[in-house]
Amino acid sequence: MKAAGEVSHSGFAAVVGRPNVGKSTLVNSMVGQKVAITSDKPQTTRHRIAGIVNRDDSQLVLLDLPGFQRPRDLLTERMQQAVDSTLGEVDLILLVMSADEPTGGGDRLVAGRVFAAGTPVIIAVNKIDLVREEKLLPAMDAAAGMGDFEELFPVSALTGKGIEHLEDAIIERLLPGPRYFPEDMVSDQPERILVGELVREQALRLTREEVPHSVAVEVLSMDRRGGSGIVDIAGTVIVERKSQKGILIGRQGSMIKEIGTGARKEIEALLGSRVFLDLSVKVRKRWRDDPRRLGDLGL
């Protein structure tokens, strides 16, 4: 490994866009492995997650941000503060739009905030794998009308098409500077937070609309068994109402078992070890307005 020091290009890029445009999938694709959970539910991203793209002569830190929103509780207030404080501090903003959906008010709201920040903007029109070629040009034209951007790239985070060109363009705009993270790091999130997020991802995937916003996951312990290589993990899935607890447990424990099975596969890939995952479900009323509970969750 090369010693940490100044490289030809290094810096930070904020990744923003309305819900469901594929921001987190794009970050994962650029990093080369999963560092951010994905879901079709709004407010999936709660933390400001750094995904680190390491090259021999450069380091790009992508900041996957929570979505823009009007704060409704302490959780969403803190999420919006993370967005607002980041846009003026980064070297570049990557505005992500979707090729397979018409440009709408959500896109214009995000673009207005982004271009008002005074930071250089590159636009990525994502999900080009889902549209015919004749529909791509109108999507590109709509994206180009969002504001005064540096460059615009059609990409597919799912297939990887166009990702390398996008990455090159961002890195070329960064100044010489230090490596902010060691070369073997791909995220700034502690393993315990990443594990909790992988459990939450499965809960989002499997539950209906009345549950996702109220779900959080706290990892209570992670212990490696001596000599076996197995990691024992205990976690609590937190909800706000008793009815939500019943949904997450499921009939005879079927739902929490399915959540655990899906999460365990992802966690094993993350840790490179076999995992024994023990999950419980608890009700914590109004946890989204509880500063101490949010602190325990890293929020």
Side-chain angles (χ1 to χ4, degrees):
M1 183 186 300
K2 291 169 61 177
E6 189 165 289
V7 290
S8 60
H9 299 86
S10 72
F12 294 79
V15 183
V16 300
R18 64 168 173 77
N20 300 330
V21 294
K23 300 185 298 293
S24 297
T25 303
L26 183 58
V27 169
N28 292 337
S29 179
M30 294 174 73
V31 172
Q33 69 181 77
K34 189 169 190 171
V35 295
I37 66 170
T38 60
S39 167
D40 60 359
K41 309 288 196 308
Q43 295 185 26
T44 296
T45 302
R46 287 176 175 166
H47 301 80
R48 186 179 78 170
I49 298 169
I52 304 161
V53 180
N54 288 297
R55 293 185 176 184
D56 288 342
D57 62 349
S58 63
Q59 185 177 80
L60 166 62
V61 184
L62 298 165
L63 299 177
D64 187 11
L65 300 180
F68 290 89
Q69 59 203 297
R70 181 179 291 108
R72 299 185 308 277
D73 47 44
L74 185 58
L75 170 62
T76 48
E77 181 181 325
R78 289 185 176 182
M79 289 162 63
Q80 188 58 50
Q81 286 172 351
V83 175
D84 293 337
S85 65
T86 299
L87 292 183
E89 297 174 353
V90 293
D91 303 290
L92 186 141
I93 298 173
L94 177 59
L95 173 61
V96 185
M97 300 179 64
S98 181
D100 73 328
E101 295 180 13
T103 300
D107 294 298
R108 288 187 285 272
L109 172 66
V110 174
R113 299 285 293 275
V114 163
F115 287 104
T119 302
V121 177
I122 285 180
I123 300 176
V125 179
N126 190 27
K127 303 187 182 183
I128 61 172
D129 53 300
L130 299 180
V131 299
R132 295 190 181 95
E133 192 171 342
E134 63 269 19
K135 290 191 175 182
L136 179 57
L137 186 57
M140 300 281 285
D141 286 342
M146 290 292 103
D148 186 13
F149 62 94
E150 300 282 318
E151 284 194 76
L152 188 152
F153 292 87
V155 301
S156 169
L158 192 63
T159 68
K161 187 172 182 179
I163 296 298
E164 186 174 356
H165 295 304
L166 171 62
E167 195 176 294
D168 288 343
I170 297 173
I171 290 173
E172 285 172 3
R173 283 170 170 75
L174 302 179
L175 298 173
R179 289 189 185 275
Y180 295 94
F181 298 93
E183 283 186 80
D184 57 353
M185 281 186 66
V186 294
S187 176
D188 66 336
Q189 297 295 301
E191 280 187 346
R192 187 170 293 212
I193 297 295
L194 290 171
V195 167
E197 286 291 272
L198 291 172
V199 175
R200 186 168 69 91
E201 180 180 46
Q202 295 302 313
L204 293 177
R205 183 177 68 85
L206 293 166
T207 55
R208 301 189 297 274
E209 290 299 326
E210 70 267 25
V211 175
H213 297 321
S214 299
V215 172
V217 178
E218 183 177 6
V219 175
L220 304 175
S221 63
M222 291 178 59
D223 300 304
R224 191 174 294 274
R225 295 184 197 174
S228 70
I230 297 174
V231 180
D232 292 305
I233 300 174
T236 299
V237 181
I238 299 169
V239 292
E240 291 186 312
R241 298 195 298 274
K242 199 170 181 180
S243 61
Q244 296 167 342
K245 179 179 178 179
I247 292 170
L248 280 168
I249 292 174
R251 187 173 182 180
Q252 297 181 333
S254 59
M255 176 62 78
I256 196 65
K257 182 178 179 180
E258 189 173 356
I259 290 171
T261 298
R264 180 175 51 79
K265 294 176 183 177
E266 296 282 358
I267 295 167
E268 287 180 339
L270 171 70
L271 301 180
S273 304
R274 291 177 58 200
V275 165
F276 178 79
L277 180 61
D278 181 23
L279 295 176
S280 61
V281 184
K282 293 186 178 180
V283 176
R284 295 286 184 265
K285 293 181 180 179
R286 296 187 61 82
W287 68 262
R288 289 180 288 180
D289 274 312
D290 184 339
R292 190 173 73 171
R293 182 68 60 186
L294 293 175
D296 291 341
L297 296 168
L299 294 165

